[in-house]
Amino acid sequence: MKVKLAILLFLLAAPALAQAEMTPEQMYGYKTFLRLHPPKEKPVKYNLYPHDGPVIGYGQDIPLCPALRDEATYENKTELKSLRHGKNGWLFRTIDFRTDFMASKETLSYLTRLNRLLASKGQTLVVAFQPSRAMASAAYLDPADLPTGYTPQKQKEGYKAFLKQLNDAGIIAPDLSEIPAGITYFPKGDFHWAPAGARDAALKISKAVKNLPAYDDLPEKEFESKITGLGPADRGAFEEFLQSTCKVNIELTSEPYWQSTGTAGAAEDLLGDGSAPGVTLLGTSNSSEEQKFNFAGFLRQYLNADVYNAAVLGGGFGSSSFRYYASDEYRQQPPKIVVWEFLPQHNYNNAESLASLRQMIPAVQGACEPTAALATYKGPVTAEKSEIFKKLPAEKLRNAYLYLHLTAPADRDLKLEILYSNGDADQVDLTRSTRAANNGKYFLELGHDNDGILSAKMITTPAKGTLEARLCSYPTKMAEK
């Protein structure tokens, strides 16, 4: 009864907390977790703590069962592979100990060209590259369960080397790895950052943005960040997976919700009031879930400027970016500054990420006019596989990219299959997240551009709507690789 009464009093006090003025130092020291003990009602207890045995409380050690050492356990949960033990109930994954973050030559070439193309349109790219979970939470690492040769210092050196690689290529990428004492950058059982981590990153990114010439042109607007209530009782993704796999009970916790509001209320929709924010935020769920982490809100607060949040939940390395650059809002109201948040666990050198970059660059360039196209196609989509171009000679493919406009794009799986004259094949998945608006406009930079194309086919389900396709050409200076 006493526990329930304490919880009730805390919840009633939440609105008062929201109104309290808090300095960054006070905020970093704020206890973000509310303990919730299992209720005695059996149905509720069974749903929340279904296994026999005691509940492992917040801050208590969480042992790893043998199944977590078996690769087969992660067959459908590869993003959690493989859990490692930490102190005081902390959990980590193998990827959290990555020490080599360097971009491949091909990836760096794409990133450099993207940055250069945005700059040619008067837009400045700022990369927000999150520090690694293990690096930021080194105090909770278990020395007995670390990869061979790993040290937080080695990891930080690898992180800084990647930022230098970007900076040397002309890409602005502030260092987010120097974390003030007392900040819990990540929660103990999840791969997302905590609000305190989002706030620290926003402060550092904002300092870099304020040094840009474009910042002086942004309309000034004051924002204030406040706690507005308490989120639902929950577990982190690591904890939920461990509880299910190891058949133990892990205590539920809850974090406060945040909101950053301006003098005219919360930031308005991009096209809602006729004045678009000069800053666009691209990224993952760390950015898109404002109520949980408030990264966009803290950016607004520290920039004294509005921010359009175009991040996508579950968007990974690039899906928010190629969707946004292909969008109508980007064309109609282009930003002055683009902040792109991506994560140290992302493999930005693999085929999937390279395909994302191959979509971003031509999307920024935009569609060519039909009269300027090297080749065109238009017709109804009556089959799951449609040939849109065939027998295109090599001279037509230099500096070329494809533009597709599909009607009825919602819930559509989409791939391009290209067969080149030298026998190489190229299949790229263009399917977009259904969690963000899709205007049906797609772009793809061609590979093997000196070999000629025997056939280019679109594969899509469901087979409906109409398709317009154009083969466009970059201006020569924009296509330099």
Side-chain angles (χ1 to χ4, degrees):
M1 185 65 185
K2 289 182 179 180
V3 172
K4 290 182 179 179
L5 180 60
I7 293 171
L8 178 61
L9 291 173
F10 189 99
L11 292 172
L12 291 173
L17 285 173
Q19 301 301 319
E21 298 289 341
M22 303 184 78
T23 66
E25 290 78 16
Q26 290 170 321
M27 191 59 60
Y28 295 147
Y30 182 75
K31 299 295 184 182
T32 59
F33 293 104
L34 169 68
R35 293 193 185 190
L36 293 179
H37 295 280
K40 294 182 179 179
E41 293 82 356
K42 288 185 178 180
V44 178
K45 176 177 170 54
Y46 181 78
N47 289 333
L48 300 182
Y49 302 95
H51 307 295
D52 293 334
V55 175
I56 299 173
Y58 183 82
Q60 295 179 349
D61 183 72
I62 303 178
L64 273 61
C65 62
L68 293 172
R69 304 298 188 187
D70 185 350
E71 289 197 9
T73 301
Y74 302 92
E75 183 177 0
N76 298 316
K77 287 286 186 179
T78 54
E79 74 278 9
L80 301 179
K81 183 181 176 181
S82 297
L83 288 186
R84 290 178 178 263
H85 183 264
K87 299 176 182 176
N88 301 341
W90 279 68
L91 299 168
F92 299 89
R93 299 165 298 174
T94 301
I95 191 63
D96 294 329
F97 299 96
R98 176 184 182 184
T99 57
D100 182 1
F101 302 95
M102 299 298 280
S104 68
K105 182 178 180 180
E106 189 174 11
T107 297
L108 187 62
S109 173
Y110 279 122
L111 291 171
T112 302
R113 291 173 56 222
L114 174 65
N115 184 57
R116 187 170 65 234
L117 181 53
L118 288 168
S120 74
K121 296 182 178 295
Q123 300 157 23
T124 304
L125 177 65
V126 179
V127 168
F129 187 63
Q130 189 186 91
S132 167
R133 175 179 168 79
M135 186 198 323
S137 311
Y140 300 101
L141 299 178
D142 178 359
D145 201 12
L146 297 180
T148 303
Y150 170 85
T151 66
Q153 183 58 35
K154 182 178 179 181
Q155 188 172 52
K156 184 176 287 190
E157 290 171 358
Y159 173 93
K160 291 176 180 289
F162 174 58
L163 296 190
K164 184 177 186 302
Q165 189 183 32
L166 295 181
N167 295 158
D168 289 348
I171 300 169
I172 299 168
D175 188 344
L176 307 182
S177 67
E178 302 300 331
I179 300 169
I183 291 184
T184 303
Y185 207 95
F186 293 93
K188 65 184 180 68
D190 196 80
F191 43 71
H192 295 96
W193 51 16
R199 185 167 193 155
D200 185 64
L203 180 61
K204 291 180 171 71
I205 293 295
S206 298
K207 287 179 180 178
V209 170
K210 285 183 174 181
N211 288 326
L212 301 175
Y215 177 76
D216 296 333
D217 297 328
L218 299 181
E220 185 174 346
K221 186 175 181 180
E222 297 294 323
F223 285 87
E224 185 178 34
S225 300
K226 294 181 178 180
I227 297 171
T228 59
L230 199 63
D234 202 2
R235 297 181 187 89
F238 303 165
E239 295 168 325
E240 194 69 36
F241 183 69
L242 187 147
Q243 174 167 293
S244 174
T245 302
C246 299
K247 310 304 180 188
V248 297
N249 298 308
I250 299 175
E251 186 178 37
L252 290 160
T253 57
S254 185
E255 295 187 60
Y257 277 161
W258 286 84
Q259 188 176 34
S260 299
T261 55
T263 54
E268 281 132 9
D269 292 340
L270 179 63
L271 302 178
D273 66 349
S275 58
V279 180
T280 289
L281 173 61
L282 303 174
T284 68
S285 53
N286 285 286
S287 295
S288 69
E289 296 195 80
E290 292 198 30
Q291 194 174 41
K292 285 186 177 181
F293 313 119
N294 200 46
F295 180 53
F298 291 135
L299 279 177
R300 295 181 185 111
Q301 176 186 348
Y302 291 127
L303 286 174
N304 301 118
D306 208 348
V307 174
Y308 173 53
N309 191 349
V312 174
L313 184 68
F317 169 70
S319 68
S320 71
S321 298
F322 60 68
R323 186 216 66 84
Y324 171 68
Y325 293 134
S327 70
D328 297 328
E329 59 259 36
Y330 174 69
R331 289 277 169 264
Q332 295 167 13
Q333 296 185 308
K336 297 181 183 300
I337 297 165
V338 176
V339 177
W340 181 15
E341 170 257 325
F342 59 91
L343 307 175
Q345 58 261 38
H346 287 152
N347 183 350
Y348 31 80
N349 297 321
N350 64 9
E352 182 180 356
S353 293
L354 292 175
S356 294
L357 291 163
R358 288 172 60 187
Q359 295 175 69
M360 291 180 211
I361 296 172
V364 172
Q365 180 62 33
C368 57
E369 293 297 324
T371 54
L374 303 174
T376 61
Y377 172 92
K378 192 170 186 178
V381 181
T382 58
E384 292 187 356
K385 182 176 287 192
S386 306
E387 186 169 58
I388 55 177
F389 296 118
K390 61 181 178 180
K391 295 183 179 179
L392 295 174
E395 57 266 21
K396 275 198 171 186
L397 303 182
R398 294 186 178 92
N399 303 328
Y401 61 92
L402 285 170
Y403 163 68
L404 307 178
H405 187 193
L406 273 162
T407 59
D411 300 321
R412 180 190 291 275
D413 290 332
L414 179 64
K415 293 180 181 179
L416 276 176
E417 185 178 81
I418 304 172
L419 180 62
Y420 295 93
S421 299
N422 66 354
D424 286 348
D426 193 10
Q427 187 177 88
V428 181
D429 191 348
L430 302 182
T431 303
R432 290 184 184 165
S433 170
T434 57
R435 292 167 170 167
N438 182 0
N439 62 0
K441 297 176 181 178
Y442 300 81
F443 296 82
L444 181 68
E445 186 171 289
L446 294 176
H448 308 268
D449 55 2
N450 293 317
D451 296 326
I453 284 179
L454 290 177
S455 175
K457 296 179 181 179
M458 182 190 72
I459 305 170
T460 185
T461 52
K464 63 179 181 179
T466 60
L467 168 68
E468 180 182 4
R470 301 173 202 165
L471 183 64
C472 301
S473 181
Y474 290 113
T476 303
K477 63 179 180 180
M478 290 304 164
E480 293 173 358
K481 298 183 179 180

